[in-house]
Amino acid sequence: MTVLLGPSHIAMVAKGVSAIVASRDAALRPSIMRAVGSRISSDGREVTVYLRRSQSEQLLQDIAHTGEIAVVFSVPSTHQTLQLKARRATQRPATDGDLPVLQAYLQSMVQEVGRVGYGPQYVGAMLAAPLQDVVAVTFTPTSAFDQTPGPRAGAELCAPPAPPTPPVPQP
């Protein structure tokens, strides 16, 4: 599997920024919800977003039926935005092992949203999620797009160039 994301995009998602999750049903009707947490593997090959089951029933149903997911990650203070898409997402209930990820995400969002003028109580209310109501949705991005407002908005991101391979000696 090709890695789509470079170090700066991986760092952006790993920091914990706004994440909006979407999918669609068989009739192409969209479903969408704000994530209450996210994480990305160090190589960018695996992304997990956390959704409240009670607020995301249609979205979780659409992901389960189609496997398709699109997630927009955005830095509130700069509008730097990245969209990831995948065709095979899996779901599982969140566990105690996910709590550090959710807590770190909340703290990062308090800082990020605070930069645009909203206090910690606002962010706390927006991202409040009892663990028993949280579902982890994991996927491997198959396409990525720069969605930052400006001339590159909508541009598909390509995998970073592979290091040159040494020439093969000819017999």
Side-chain angles (χ1 to χ4, degrees):
M1 171 57 73
T2 302
V3 177
L4 298 172
L5 304 175
S8 66
H9 288 114
I10 293 170
M12 175 188 150
V13 174
K15 181 180 179 192
V17 298
S18 177
I20 303 296
V21 182
S23 188
R24 55 110 183 146
D25 66 12
L28 304 179
R29 285 185 296 258
S31 53
I32 188 168
M33 183 54 64
R34 173 176 293 285
V36 295
S38 68
R39 65 172 230 182
I40 186 168
S41 62
S42 60
D43 63 4
R45 292 176 193 246
E46 184 176 282
V47 177
T48 300
V49 290
Y50 296 89
L51 296 166
R52 286 197 65 176
R53 179 179 293 111
S54 61
Q55 298 175 340
S56 310
E57 288 181 30
Q58 185 64 53
L59 175 59
L60 291 168
Q61 182 179 343
D62 291 346
I63 293 169
H65 287 157
T66 67
E68 295 186 4
I69 187 170
V71 183
V72 173
F73 294 95
S74 185
V75 179
S77 60
T78 67
H79 301 293
Q80 178 186 8
T81 304
L82 168 70
Q83 181 185 42
L84 302 178
K85 294 183 178 183
R87 294 192 174 271
R88 283 192 287 173
T90 60
Q91 302 177 29
R92 64 170 174 78
T95 66
D96 289 343
D98 295 304
L99 273 175
V101 174
L102 294 169
Q103 291 168 344
Y105 182 84
L106 175 60
Q107 290 308 308
S108 178
M109 284 293 287
V110 164
Q111 296 295 317
E112 287 295 329
V113 177
R115 290 186 176 110
V116 294
Y118 294 93
Q121 293 84 9
Y122 176 84
V123 178
M126 180 175 70
L127 299 176
L131 188 61
Q132 65 273 16
D133 190 34
V134 177
V135 175
V137 181
T138 300
F139 62 96
T140 297
T142 54
S143 58
F145 302 87
D146 182 346
Q147 296 294 3
T148 303
R152 289 198 37 82
E156 187 166 5
L157 301 176
C158 298
T165 55
V168 177
Q170 299 296 320

